Amino acid sequence: MRLDWHTQQARLEAAGWESDLIAPPRPGGVSVGNFREPDFVLKELLPVLTADYESLRNAARKLTEAAAVRREEAQKDWAEVYRQRIAFRQYTDQQQAAYHFDFDSGTLPPLQPTALDAILVAWAVLVLVLAVRLGRNVRRVAIRKARRATVSVILFGSFSLSGCSGGLGPDVRPWAVREEATLTAEIQDSATKADAAIAAANQKWTATVTGWAALVAVHGTRGDTVESVLRRGETEVRDRLRTAIIDVRLADRLAKEAEAERGQLATDKTKLDDLTSGAKFRAVAFAVVRSVGAVLLLGVAVAPYWRSRRTVAAQVRSDARKCPRCFGEKLIVEKRGAPSGDDAKSSAPRYRGPKAKVKAKPEPEPEPDDGPKETGYIECKSCGFRFRRSYQKVHRLCFPAVGVRSSGKTHMLATAYDRVRKRIAPTVAAVQPAPSLGDARFEQYIDLILTLKREAGGTVHDMPDPVMLHLRDADPAGPNTALVNLFDYSGELVNQSIDRDRLKKQAVKMDGFMLFLDPTQLYGDGTNVTLDRQLSALNEFMADMREARDVPVGQIIPVPVAVCIPKFDLLLTENPIQSQSVPFIRRLLGQLSPPPKQTTLGTLKSRSEMVEEMLELMFRGVDIRALVESYFGGRVMFFPVSSVSLFENELGVKDLSLRTIAPFGVAEPFLWLLHMHGYEVFAVGSG
């Protein structure tokens, strides 16, 4: 087909060349017939024309043969080069199919998504969803804490995949098919043009030959013979010359293309080598990119779960380094040495008596001394506090009870501790005492209050030993544990400056507060303080807290606060609300006192709303809620508390010996603080 196309191009070129060479027709009117004796002229002209045309035919034949030989040689050389071209293009098709580059445009293969990529992305999405859910499960306590603090928590995983090159891809048809389609169209076009050019040349030649024939056109036998010799001779010579010129043009085209193909083959081979090596490199690079992308997708997908685990583990490690009492980081494992020397001998069994014969036994070899033995306790070198080592790696929460002196903090914590150890605290979670140095002190308080019905006395203004409680909540997704430290700070705490008192410096950094506002200390009679002094101490304490936590003025301090209104049983006689408190107390003892295991968050909210109704009657002239919310925002709840009882016939009686001890609402404040930190401690329906 390529040869046929070149032939048509040669025909077109030969026809154009011939049209340029054919002389225009001679004007008519003059011929041999105008001579006086035309037969004589024709007689002399006939042999000359016959000889000349014979000579021309012989020369044209030689020219045609030489042109044919030249064409055959050029065609043979061209055919060999073109076979190499075909083989090269077939090999190129194989390489292009293997490595997906585009040889004609010289473009390397783009990164194309495959079914494996789609499966990988789908798998990454599935892992991401699972990781997010697992991460949320690991951090469910922190998430619930944020939600309960009215902070929106949004977990978002994203991953992206590199974009792939667009545009038209390479023609995947084999080169032979594409070449055949191209040549078919080109041959048809060239043949049409060549036929038209040859027809035009034939028309011009016919007109010219007709003009020449008219010169010898004479009626008669001799004239017809001369004219036929001229026409036949011109036709034969022209046909041979046309064949020769077509062969020459074809030979020139084939030789020129063969030479160009040799150079192009060398160039194309270099190009193919470059494309193949580039495609191989890209194949390896794309494989690496896909592998790295797969690892990154897996990392991004697993990141939420991994980050959650790290966050929780980091918090536990941070807590494990700190003392629950002074928050110092000088913790060591307590060890006790083994008895040796005289102590060891004194522990050996004595003889039975002087007459008893005891068979001598060889003394056992002394066991190697491995040094002091661990006691299972951790000791703080800063403050001397000791606690069990098993609680060291449990997440800790510290809640201090702060307020003015004689506001009922110690009584509330002691009675709450008693409820916890008797398993009657209003919670569905498992809360139990964790052994600590504060146990002995609170055992004394409980004995004084519940058994002897006496006052516990004031708390010494020193660093208190916390009451430690171990929590295992009722989370449906799995129990969460925490070590709860309840601090009973002296009332003088709120009267000290943070710059001078290390106790306050520790207290203001804790995880939540039980803030006591004593409704029986309003006028400063006796040893009591005034309401103004309570509010002033509160403002000073909150300012110190803002400074210690580096919270700018005007912003909310991000901790929950349980505002405790203690001595609810003395409102009848020690507060301006007096008898107006009785209906509220009846309501507390009625619909707002469900069984301990059925206490819900809704119950506490209802109690808080009831206390808010009473605030302006108990603390007249002061908007207590606005004051507290200006520091803590909406993370505030009010708790009615009585460390004695709320029985109506005993309201207003201060002598504990005349009272029935049945504390009300003493454990709810720190349980609500646990709830605000994300733990499930209330019955279903707590909201």
Side-chain angles (χ1 to χ4, degrees):
M1 294 183 70
R2 185 73 176 175
L3 180 61
D4 189 11
W5 178 77
H6 278 297
T7 301
Q8 298 299 330
Q9 291 293 320
R11 289 178 66 226
L12 178 61
E13 293 175 1
W17 175 79
E18 185 181 22
S19 296
D20 293 338
L21 292 181
I22 295 175
R26 294 176 62 85
V30 179
S31 68
V32 176
N34 299 121
F35 294 167
R36 182 179 297 177
E37 294 182 3
D39 289 340
F40 176 78
V41 176
L42 293 175
K43 179 180 177 182
E44 295 296 330
L45 185 59
L46 180 60
V48 175
L49 288 176
T50 302
D52 286 345
Y53 280 121
E54 185 64 28
S55 176
L56 287 173
R57 279 194 293 270
N58 292 334
R61 183 172 60 255
K62 292 180 180 179
L63 184 62
T64 302
E65 291 173 355
V69 171
R70 180 181 173 185
R71 175 185 58 78
E72 290 175 357
E73 292 176 353
Q75 182 175 341
K76 181 179 180 181
D77 182 52
W78 171 83
E80 179 62 27
V81 174
Y82 203 70
R83 278 194 292 271
Q84 295 177 12
R85 180 69 172 175
I86 293 173
F88 173 78
R89 289 309 301 246
Q90 290 175 342
Y91 176 72
T92 300
D93 287 344
Q94 296 175 358
Q95 296 297 99
Q96 184 170 278
Y99 296 104
H100 307 290
F101 57 82
D102 187 357
F103 179 80
D104 293 329
S105 64
T107 57
L108 290 170
L111 176 60
Q112 296 288 351
T114 63
L116 182 61
D117 296 331
I119 295 174
L120 178 63
V121 172
W123 175 250
V125 171
L126 177 61
V127 174
L128 176 63
V129 172
L130 294 177
V132 169
R133 297 192 65 177
L134 290 174
R136 289 176 64 88
N137 185 64
V138 171
R139 296 183 60 249
R140 59 188 182 274
V141 174
I143 293 173
R144 285 196 296 263
K145 174 184 176 181
R147 286 177 178 171
R148 290 164 184 176
T150 67
V151 177
S152 299
V153 177
I154 301 176
L155 294 178
F156 176 74
S158 65
F159 64 93
S160 60
L161 182 65
S162 300
C164 303
S165 301
L168 297 176
D171 193 341
V172 297
R173 294 180 301 169
W175 173 83
V177 175
R178 291 183 280 122
E179 188 73 2
E180 182 178 354
T182 302
L183 289 175
T184 299
E186 291 181 350
I187 289 173
Q188 183 177 0
D189 181 65
S190 299
T192 302
K193 292 179 179 179
D195 291 342
I198 290 174
N202 287 340
Q203 185 178 2
K204 186 176 181 181
W205 178 82
T206 301
T208 299
V209 171
T210 300
W212 292 346
L215 295 177
V216 296
V218 178
H219 294 292
T221 305
R222 191 176 297 277
D224 294 339
T225 302
V226 173
E227 182 181 356
S228 63
V229 168
L230 186 146
R231 288 182 179 277
R232 185 174 62 254
E234 290 292 334
T235 301
E236 290 177 354
V237 172
R238 178 180 178 253
D239 290 342
R240 290 184 181 277
L241 289 177
R242 176 182 288 176
T243 301
I245 192 60
I246 290 175
D247 287 344
V248 170
R249 293 285 184 178
L250 180 58
D252 289 343
R253 291 184 63 85
L254 294 179
K256 187 176 181 179
E257 183 172 90
E259 185 65 24
E261 283 292 343
R262 287 190 180 94
Q264 189 63 37
L265 273 176
T267 303
D268 288 349
K269 287 180 180 178
T270 303
K271 179 181 177 181
L272 179 62
D273 292 340
D274 293 342
L275 288 174
T276 303
S277 60
K280 290 180 179 178
F281 175 78
R282 283 206 171 193
V284 175
F286 292 161
V288 173
V289 169
R290 281 189 169 91
S291 300
V292 173
V295 173
L296 290 178
L297 281 177
L298 180 61
V300 171
V302 177
Y305 177 69
W306 178 75
R307 186 169 58 249
S308 299
R309 290 290 300 269
R310 281 179 59 89
T311 301
V312 174
Q315 182 62 46
V316 172
R317 287 195 301 269
S318 177
D319 291 343
R321 293 192 298 265
K322 296 178 181 179
C323 171
R325 183 171 182 249
C326 69
F327 304 111
E329 296 187 1
K330 296 181 180 180
L331 299 180
I332 62 171
V333 178
E334 187 182 64
K335 295 182 178 181
R336 180 175 56 221
S340 59
D342 296 336
D343 294 335
K345 292 179 180 180
S346 63
S347 62
R350 295 176 177 268
Y351 289 103
R352 296 181 181 177
K355 296 182 180 181
K357 295 182 178 180
V358 180
K359 186 177 181 181
K361 294 183 180 179
E363 294 184 0
E365 295 182 2
E367 296 182 358
D369 187 6
D370 295 333
K373 305 297 183 181
E374 294 184 2
T375 64
Y377 280 84
I378 298 293
E379 182 180 359
C380 176
K381 284 299 184 181
S382 297
C383 67
F385 185 73
R386 296 170 63 245
F387 62 97
R388 287 189 182 275
R389 190 178 183 184
S390 58
Y391 293 122
Q392 185 180 15
K393 294 184 179 180
V394 180
H395 179 56
R396 297 179 198 162
L397 293 170
C398 298
F399 304 136
V402 295
V404 297
R405 62 181 181 272
S406 302
S407 58
K409 302 183 298 299
T410 303
H411 277 240
M412 192 209 79
L413 289 179
T415 52
Y417 180 73
D418 180 66
R419 283 182 168 263
V420 167
R421 70 175 186 173
K422 292 178 178 178
R423 305 299 191 270
I424 56 174
T427 176
V428 294
V431 184
Q432 56 189 3
S436 70
L437 294 180
D439 293 350
R441 180 164 59 95
F442 272 83
E443 290 287 350
Q444 295 176 3
Y445 290 156
I446 292 172
D447 186 57
L448 284 172
I449 297 170
L450 300 182
T451 305
L452 302 179
K453 295 185 179 183
R454 294 167 54 188
E455 295 287 343
T459 304
V460 178
H461 184 55
D462 194 4
M463 185 178 296
D465 295 325
V467 176
M468 301 176 65
L469 305 176
H470 183 261
L471 167 73
R472 188 176 71 252
D473 75 351
D475 192 342
N480 306 288
T481 59
L483 189 64
V484 185
N485 303 307
L486 302 179
F487 289 86
D488 178 21
Y489 279 107
S490 167
E492 283 78 7
L493 176 66
V494 296
N495 298 327
Q496 302 295 324
S497 170
I498 189 172
D499 296 328
R500 292 178 291 137
D501 195 282
R502 65 190 181 100
L503 298 184
K504 182 184 289 187
K505 186 177 296 186
Q506 295 167 356
V508 295
K509 294 183 179 180
M510 293 188 182
D511 304 296
F513 299 89
M514 292 175 283
L515 181 62
F516 281 69
L517 292 178
D518 191 346
T520 67
Q521 299 191 59
L522 302 179
Y523 307 113
D525 51 332
T527 59
N528 294 337
V529 297
T530 64
L531 176 59
D532 290 340
R533 183 55 198 147
Q534 288 195 67
L535 298 180
S536 176
L538 173 62
N539 286 326
E540 293 174 4
F541 188 77
M542 297 306 139
D544 291 338
M545 183 184 301
R546 186 186 300 280
E547 180 180 352
R549 293 175 175 269
D550 197 21
V551 178
V553 176
Q555 293 190 10
I556 300 302
I557 302 174
V559 292
V561 174
V563 181
C564 301
I565 309 299
K567 306 177 184 178
F568 229 66
D569 53 300
L570 299 180
L571 293 178
L572 184 64
T573 57
E574 303 294 329
N575 187 271
I577 194 173
Q578 295 184 352
S579 61
Q580 297 180 68
S581 64
V582 176
F584 292 105
I585 294 175
R586 289 173 180 170
R587 183 179 170 191
L588 279 178
L589 294 177
Q591 59 189 19
L592 297 182
S593 295
K597 299 298 183 182
Q598 298 178 18
T599 300
T600 65
L601 182 61
T603 302
L604 301 189
K605 288 181 178 179
S606 298
R607 291 183 185 178
S608 179
E609 292 170 357
M610 188 201 75
V611 173
E612 290 180 40
E613 296 177 19
M614 303 171 64
L615 287 177
E616 60 179 332
L617 298 176
M618 291 187 293
F619 304 97
R620 292 180 178 178
V622 180
D623 191 344
I624 297 295
R625 180 173 183 83
L627 177 64
V628 178
E629 287 186 348
S630 65
Y631 288 104
F632 302 102
R635 281 168 280 206
V636 175
M637 188 168 286
F638 293 87
F639 293 87
V641 176
S642 173
S643 302
V644 185
S645 68
L646 288 180
F647 297 134
E648 187 172 343
N649 61 331
E650 297 180 1
L651 295 178
V653 178
K654 299 181 66 174
D655 188 354
L656 294 183
S657 62
L658 303 177
R659 300 287 299 275
T660 302
I661 306 300
F664 179 88
V666 291
E668 283 83 342
F670 71 81
L671 290 175
W672 176 78
L673 291 175
L674 288 173
H675 169 82
M676 291 300 291
H677 279 273
Y679 292 92
E680 296 291 349
V681 295
F682 295 117
V684 177
S686 60

